[in-house]
Amino acid sequence: MSLQYVLLFLCFIFITIKGDKPPTYFPNLPLGEYKLKFKALFPCESTENHKLQYNVYFSKKTATEFELKGNMTLHVPFDDSVSISINMAVKSSIGGWKDNAHVYTTTNACSKTIWLFGELWNDIVRGFHLPRFNCPTPPGVYVTSGIDMEKLRQNNFPKKFFYGEYKMTFLFTKSTGEKLGCFVLVLDVIRPWE
């Protein structure tokens, strides 16, 4: 009788050992690998008095493909003396925005932007016809007729993140605290199969 229990136990162990099987699939976890679904891109306020003006927007190529279009007007160089603050508000279950869900603030905005965008930075430089690939970006007006947002996958963003709808406010300041520019990006962080 005890031999039957031993054999049953051994069978149970061999059946449940994973071996070379892929990891268990948990589709309803609140975070994981993701894809981005862009919704809107607009200035925080009138850019008339901003020294870094980002007048860019998303344009639909097809039902699921977007391009980044518009212009950037830089009255001062975009360099490492600029700081950037990103405040991510998450959409709550009742429809309002909860600020400070994720906050990222750093100095050296130019170098950090290049690092964060990774290979996509080269497409941004070519798309906006920037004069150089490294810092600083000199003052001027830079216009793009369209940058494919599918290329955004080639970046140094976190590879796993919390799912949900986010409103990201990007604020650019000088070390003295002077506000240089601001824009808002609204997007969904969704599961790869959605």
Side-chain angles (χ1 to χ4, degrees), residues 35-89:
K35 67 179 181 180
L36 301 175
K37 181 179 174 187
F38 300 101
K39 292 188 159 188
L41 180 65
F42 54 90
C44 298
E45 58 206 18
S46 171
T47 61
E48 186 177 342
N49 297 321
H50 290 177
K51 293 183 179 175
L52 299 176
Q53 299 175 0
Y54 298 97
N55 300 305
V56 291
Y57 61 94
F58 293 128
S59 174
K60 265 190 171 183
K61 286 174 32 178
T62 67
T64 58
E65 295 178 356
F66 291 88
E67 285 184 322
L68 179 67
K69 291 188 173 187
N71 69 72
M72 299 185 302
T73 303
L74 309 180
H75 296 288
V76 295
F78 182 64
D79 57 19
D80 284 339
S81 68
V82 176
S83 296
I84 185 170
S85 176
I86 304 170
N87 187 324
M88 295 178 71

Side-chain angles (χ1 to χ4, degrees), residues 34 55 65 73 128 138 162 165:
Y34 60 91
N55 300 305
E65 295 178 356
T73 303
F128 278 101
F162 293 93
E165 184 176 355

Side-chain angles (χ1 to χ4, degrees), residues 103-168:
V103 178
Y104 178 72
T105 303
T106 185
T107 56
N108 305 327
C110 185
S111 298
K112 297 280 174 73
T113 300
I114 291 172
W115 176 82
L116 189 64
F117 281 116
E119 292 180 32
L120 177 65
W121 180 253
N122 296 333
D123 295 314
I124 292 171
V125 168
R126 287 187 206 100
F128 278 101
H129 310 289
L130 301 178
R132 61 178 67 131
F133 285 90
N134 54 6
C135 295
T137 301
V141 177
Y142 304 104
V143 180
T144 183
S145 58
I147 299 172
D148 185 5
M149 293 308 293
E150 279 299 308
K151 294 181 179 178
L152 190 62
R153 299 182 199 284
Q154 308 161 354
N155 57 51
N156 291 321
F157 297 170
K159 299 307 175 206
K160 294 184 179 182
F161 204 76
F162 293 93
Y163 301 122
E165 184 176 355
Y166 291 94
K167 181 172 73 170
M168 301 173 65

